[in-house]
Amino acid sequence: MSGNNPSNLFEACSNPFREPYQESSIRSIGLDLPRVVSIQYPTMPGAREDNKEEHSSNQSIKNKRLRAKDRSKMSRNRKKEYIKELEFKVRYLEKENIRLQNLLAQKAEEQDSLKQENVFEKEKNNGVRNLWKQVLDLESLDPKRTPTKFCEVWDKFFKIIFDKHKAFIDVAFRKLINDIHANVTPIHYRDLTVDYDRDYDIIKKFNNCTKFKESEFKKNHNLNEVDLFIASFKPSKKQFNFIKNVFIRKEAAVKEKCVQAIHRLIESKQLIEDSFTELRFALALITKSRVLSEEQLAKSKMKGSIFYDSQSFSKIWKVQSVPVTRSYDLLQDEILGKDVKKYLPPSEHTFNANFNKFYIEE
């Protein structure tokens, strides 16, 4: 039998790189042993190092993946923070842009007003004299020449002054009325009255409306600017009563005083316009009636009466001004008095304000 070949037995026993001996393989070569123990050869010295390297390689890959995952997470977080910062900057810059646009419009209006005033002042100082010299040289006026043009020049020039003065008065009174309140006058002053009587439930229902239903709700309940102003606070019932009974009442009382002042300003403007209109026709009569000759008019002080005098404030009208301090005791206020002690410290019960007092010298 080939299985009993000693060479096969030698080959099976002498080759250390074969699989560990098993009972079946020994039996296959014809040996009948009662018991064969499997022998496990020790691992070769290089194999253990290979396993360690493989394990360390796998661990290194895992660490790299974890680090890559952490870097990716940090990158996403940085991106989110960057986007949030950009959104914040956009909102800030939009508000700043609106503020600067309003400031620019205000400055432009003030510049236009000052420009008109400066033009008026310049024309009354230098331009007036230059115009007189260009049209008529009063000093070299020869009364023997006929006809002299004094009346024509006077009418032409006085019309220019009249129109400029009218424009200046309009600008000045618009500015006075627009800035009659120390603070920026809010839009709700238009509908502000002393008998404001809106119920809290209406304000609360309006604040609970969606944005798409607000317009319809305002129309159905006839909400005015005062209602919208109060609703903007989103007040509780207690806060609503405080705003309605204290703040709105005081604002209404202040508005009444401003309205009185505006009526007096309008009356003053009307008096000023009436006065220089009467003067214009009085001067027209004296120049066109021929009661006074051209020579008399040219040599009189009338030729210089229209020149601007910066001291007319005190020299002609005798109006003086002195600084005064006005004190207001909040405890004596019929609307705010009862709440002053409750909400303000004693040091803030009195307010002082500095003004210029105008008076006419007797």
Side-chain angles (χ1 to χ4, degrees):
M1 291 176 60
S2 62
N4 296 326
N5 191 345
S7 64
N8 292 335
L9 176 63
F10 176 78
E11 182 181 354
C13 296
S14 62
N15 190 352
F17 299 102
R18 290 177 61 87
E19 292 293 325
Y21 297 133
Q22 297 179 0
E23 184 179 353
S24 59
S25 63
I26 296 177
R27 289 184 185 277
S28 66
I29 59 176
L31 294 178
D32 189 10
L33 298 177
R35 183 179 179 186
V36 178
V37 180
S38 297
I39 300 173
Q40 180 72 37
Y41 284 99
T43 307
M44 298 295 290
R48 184 176 295 178
E49 294 178 1
D50 291 341
N51 289 337
K52 287 183 178 179
E53 289 179 1
E54 183 178 355
H55 176 73
S56 63
S57 177
N58 292 337
Q59 188 66 30
S60 176
I61 291 172
K62 289 181 180 179
N63 291 338
K64 286 181 180 179
R65 288 176 179 173
L66 288 174
R67 287 196 296 270
K69 187 177 180 180
D70 290 340
R71 285 196 298 269
S72 178
K73 185 177 180 180
M74 291 174 62
S75 177
R76 287 194 300 271
N77 290 337
R78 283 197 300 269
K79 187 175 181 180
K80 288 180 181 178
E81 292 297 327
Y82 179 67
I83 291 173
K84 286 182 181 178
E85 185 179 356
L86 288 179
E87 290 176 348
F88 175 79
K89 286 182 178 179
V90 168
R91 290 194 297 269
Y92 171 77
L93 291 174
E94 285 177 348
K95 292 180 180 179
E96 186 69 9
N97 186 36
I98 293 173
R99 187 186 72 82
L100 291 175
Q101 286 180 352
N102 293 336
L103 182 62
L104 183 63
Q106 180 183 353
K107 294 296 182 183
E109 183 180 352
E110 292 177 358
Q111 187 176 5
D112 290 341
S113 177
L114 289 174
K115 185 176 180 181
Q116 291 187 23
E117 293 177 18
N118 291 336
V119 168
F120 179 62
E121 297 294 334
K122 185 176 180 180
E123 288 186 359
K124 290 181 76 174
N125 282 283
N126 300 324
V128 169
R129 292 181 175 87
N130 293 335
L131 182 62
W132 272 101
K133 290 179 180 179
Q134 291 175 10
V135 178
L136 181 65
D137 187 357
L138 294 178
E139 295 178 358
S140 62
L141 181 63
D142 185 0
K144 296 180 180 179
R145 295 180 182 176
T146 56
T148 56
K149 303 295 182 181
F150 182 87
C151 293
E152 295 178 11
V153 172
W154 180 270
D155 288 341
K156 180 180 178 181
F157 180 68
F158 199 80
K159 183 180 184 303
I160 295 173
I161 291 184
F162 185 88
D163 293 339
K164 291 291 183 182
H165 186 262
K166 183 173 68 174
F168 173 76
I169 290 294
D170 286 340
V171 171
F173 275 85
R174 283 179 185 273
K175 187 69 175 172
L176 281 171
I177 293 172
N178 191 55
D179 293 338
I180 197 167
H181 201 288
N183 300 320
V184 177
T185 308
I187 189 66
H188 72 269
Y189 267 45
R190 184 183 66 186
D191 300 323
L192 186 62
T193 58
V194 293
D195 55 352
Y196 177 77
D197 60 352
R198 183 70 71 182
D199 292 331
Y200 171 70
D201 292 338
I202 299 296
I203 301 298
K204 185 176 180 180
K205 288 178 182 179
F206 173 76
N207 282 331
N208 291 333
C209 284
T210 62
K211 185 167 66 173
F212 303 101
K213 293 183 179 180
E214 284 183 357
S215 178
E216 182 181 356
F217 189 91
K218 285 191 290 187
K219 184 177 180 182
N220 292 338
H221 293 82
N222 196 26
L223 298 185
N224 58 29
E225 292 294 340
V226 180
D227 299 322
L228 299 179
F229 172 73
I230 296 177
S232 66
F233 293 103
K234 299 187 183 301
S236 65
K237 188 169 185 179
K238 182 180 178 181
Q239 292 170 333
F240 172 81
N241 290 331
F242 179 82
I243 294 172
K244 174 183 176 180
N245 298 324
V246 179
F247 184 68
I248 293 298
R249 282 183 62 204
K250 173 49 67 176
E251 279 201 315
V254 171
K255 179 189 174 184
E256 285 298 316
K257 290 187 177 181
C258 290
V259 169
Q260 294 177 19
I262 290 172
H263 279 298
R264 293 178 184 178
L265 285 172
I266 293 172
E267 292 174 0
S268 300
K269 184 176 184 297
Q270 184 65 47
L271 286 172
I272 292 170
E273 291 171 347
D274 290 346
S275 67
F276 69 67
T277 302
E278 291 180 23
L279 178 61
R280 180 185 181 186
F281 286 101
L283 291 171
L285 174 63
I286 198 172
T287 55
K288 294 180 179 180
S289 63
R290 304 295 179 180
V291 173
L292 296 171
S293 67
E294 293 284 350
E295 181 182 1
Q296 288 175 301
L297 292 172
K299 291 183 177 181
S300 70
K301 287 190 175 183
M302 181 178 171
K303 67 181 181 182
S305 63
I306 58 175
F307 292 152
Y308 178 67
D309 187 352
S310 60
Q311 301 299 319
S312 61
F313 187 80
S314 56
K315 282 172 59 177
I316 299 175
W317 305 114
K318 298 184 179 180
V319 175
Q320 306 292 335
S321 65
V322 293
V324 296
T325 300
R326 296 180 184 173
S327 297
Y328 189 78
D329 187 358
L330 292 177
L331 292 173
Q332 304 301 319
D333 190 288
E334 60 180 11
I335 297 174
L336 305 178
K338 61 182 180 180
D339 294 310
V340 170
K341 289 184 177 180
K342 187 188 301 184
Y343 297 110
L344 296 179
S347 60
E348 296 182 10
H349 290 177
T350 303
F351 283 97
N352 296 325
N354 296 321
F355 294 93
N356 283 329
K357 179 183 178 181
F358 289 84
Y359 64 96
I360 297 178
E361 218 175 39
E362 296 297 337

